[in-house]
Structure formats: structure tokens, C-alpha cells
Amino acid sequence: MSLSVKEILNIGRRHLEESGVADAAIDCKLLYCYLMNVTTAQLILEYQKILPDSLCDEYFKLLELRGSGVPLQHITGFQEFMGLNFMVNDKVLIPRQDTETLVEDAMELIQGNTLRGEAFLRKGKKDWEILDLCCGSGAIGLSLAKLCRNVRVWCSDLSEDALSVAKENAAGLGLSKITFQQGNLLEPFQKRFRHRKFDLIISNPPYIKSSVIPTLQREVRDHEPMMALDGGESGLDFYREIISRAADCLKKEGVLMFEIGHDQREDVCGLLEETGKFFNITSLQDLAKRDRIVVAVLKGKKEQQ
Ligand code: GLN
């Protein structure tokens, strides 16, 4: 066959395009980089190289997989998030770029008690005990643990399989002081169990409406864990449940911080208002100017209605 790298990439791009892969031009290169263990920068220098038939065959196998709808990250086993490498598989949601906005805002709050440049807490906090609720791969909690010095992090999830991935990621990032907790949302931290209060509860819970699930991209719908995506009929099941119990698990002026779907701002803010227990209920947008984050602070006991 004797194909050059450039030729084989063209074949790859065409195959992926014809198979309906959205990012065909990028994915054909990233599959090659994965196969040959080179960076995208090194790849450019290899365009004229002739590839042995055995490697061509291996590349075609990867193309078939990707073309059939398997997400790139399930083939390579990794996703970069906040500049860190996260191992992923089909038991966890692949960390999204949108969620980096959530982590960046949380970092600003943790490091300087401000949010998008504005003072946010009445009394600043120095050290933060943080719970990443519905942690999945651990992308949010582990990034905060890795990138901030003044934090102690708990990661919790209902799924044991997800926690195994998060544990592996913690080890990969050299983080030895993370506490992992299996359980249903805030239940394991509530009064009747091991009572623990946090300075920040941060969560990207499942928030897609059940009726929307069949319309998702096949990569998401057929390969990512439904339990990380399906937020029930209204998409709000998890927000409702977490918000109803959060006051019990937050310290004084504890912060609750959610990723939300772009059309959920009013609903999630409304749920927080209804409790009468939160102030500074704020929403923030992502880089594409879509509503993406809701933050709120727990009132003092006497101020709570
Ligand atoms: N943003 C994700 C998606 O579009 C959903 C994440 C979630 O449900 N928490 O697939």
C-alpha cells in the first residue's frame, strides 16, 4: 500500500466525515497521534513519512471505531481538563470545556474571595473544605485540589465505578489527600450519618431533560453514562434534591456552586430563592455567553426564613 502520513490522514478525514463525525479534521489527526504516541506539533513534521502497512491497518481500525460513534476519548482513554490529564472511560462523563469555566470561577473565589472581580463573601475564607458532588472522573474536585493550595477536597458519587476512575486520576495527579465517598448526593454527609459541613459544595449534576436524551449526539447518547446525564423529566431533579439538603452540609457563609444547562438559570435560581436560606444568588455565563453557572451563599441561622 505504502501511504504517506499525509495521504493516510486525508483518507481518515474523509472516512470520519462520511461517518458523520463532527470534528473529522481534528479527530483524524488525534487518532494518528494516539497511535504513534506523538504530539500534534510532531505530526506536522511527519507528513511525508511513509507508513508501514501494519501501522496503516492499525490506524484504519481506530478510524472504524471513531466512525461508528465511539468518542475519541474512549479510544485514547484521556481528556485534558484545566491543563491536566484525566483518565476517562464509559463509566464517567467526559469532562467538558464548559465545566472549566466553573472551575476557574471556583478558583477565583477560593484564592481571593471574589467572583468575576467582585467581592462575593461578607467574611472571606482562608482555607476551604470542598465537596465535589457527583464527581464522576473527579475533574472538578481534583483540579481544585491540584491548582489551589488552601483546599481540602472530598469527591463523592453514587457510582463505585466512577469513584474508581476518580481515585485513579487522583493517583495520576499525585494527590494523596483526597477523601472519596460513595453515596446518594448529600446523604452520607448529613446529620443522621457522618455529619460534615463544607465551605463549598460544587457540582455538575445530571441535568438533561429525559425527553431530550434521545436527541443528543450519538457519541453522548450511546456511549456516555446515562446516570451522569439524565436529570429527570424537568432536568432539575438533582438541583432540587441537593438544594433541599445543602443548608445542612454547608458551614456559615458556605457556598453552593452548580453547573447548569443554558436554559436552567431561572429554575435553579428559583429553587434557591424558595428555600429562603441563601443570599447572593448569582448566575454566570460561559465563554459562549450562555448561562452556565449558579452560585449562592448560605445565610446565617438567624437570617434564614
Ligand atoms: N453538558 C453536558 C452535555 O451537554 C451535560 C452535563 C450534565 O448533565 N451534567 O452533554
Side-chain angles (χ1 to χ4, degrees), residues 139-176:
I140 298 172
L142 300 180
S143 296
L144 293 175
K146 187 76 188 171
L147 301 172
C148 303
R149 281 208 262 134
N150 50 336
V151 298
R152 188 161 169 228
V153 173
W154 280 252
C155 286
S156 96
D157 206 290
L158 182 60
S159 157
E160 289 280 8
D161 289 334
L163 281 176
S164 302
V165 174
K167 283 177 192 169
E168 204 170 311
N169 280 325
L173 293 167
L175 296 165
S176 56

Side-chain angles (χ1 to χ4, degrees), residues 93-94 96 98-99 204-208 216 220 224 228-231 239 259-261 292:
L93 196 75
I94 299 165
R96 312 285 206 258
D98 301 328
T99 308
N204 174 18
Y207 59 66
I208 312 270
L216 297 176
V220 182
E224 296 204 72
L229 293 164
D230 192 340
Y239 299 116
E259 175 171 320
I260 58 160
R292 184 59 65 196

Side-chain angles (χ1 to χ4, degrees), residues 180-283:
F180 294 93
Q181 173 71 53
Q182 189 276 333
N184 185 24
L185 300 175
L186 286 169
E187 222 171 73
F189 305 101
Q190 286 195 281
K191 275 206 186 86
R192 55 207 163 97
F193 296 108
R194 233 165 310 155
H195 198 203
R196 178 164 284 285
K197 294 188 175 208
F198 299 95
D199 298 287
L200 170 65
I201 298 175
I202 187 165
S203 182
N204 174 18
Y207 59 66
I208 312 270
K209 283 190 188 133
S210 305
S211 60
V212 172
I213 300 269
T215 70
L216 297 176
Q217 270 188 326
R218 62 184 170 151
E219 280 83 351
V220 182
R221 185 193 59 216
D222 300 340
H223 297 276
E224 296 204 72
M226 243 351 100
M227 70 180 285
L229 293 164
D230 192 340
E233 202 179 318
S234 63
L236 299 168
D237 284 6
F238 290 81
Y239 299 116
R240 204 171 275 124
E241 178 68 17
I242 296 168
I243 289 169
S244 73
R245 293 165 190 256
D248 193 25
C249 299
L250 283 170
K251 294 188 207 175
K252 199 166 174 216
E253 290 219 4
V255 180
L256 185 56
M257 198 162 184
F258 286 123
E259 175 171 320
I260 58 160
H262 64 91
D263 54 357
Q264 293 176 319
R265 174 176 60 87
E266 275 182 40
D267 286 328
V268 175
C269 290
L271 288 171
L272 286 159
E273 305 262 5
E274 270 171 33
T275 65
K277 292 180 177 166
F278 293 90
F279 70 102
N280 276 3
I281 300 170
T282 308
S283 70

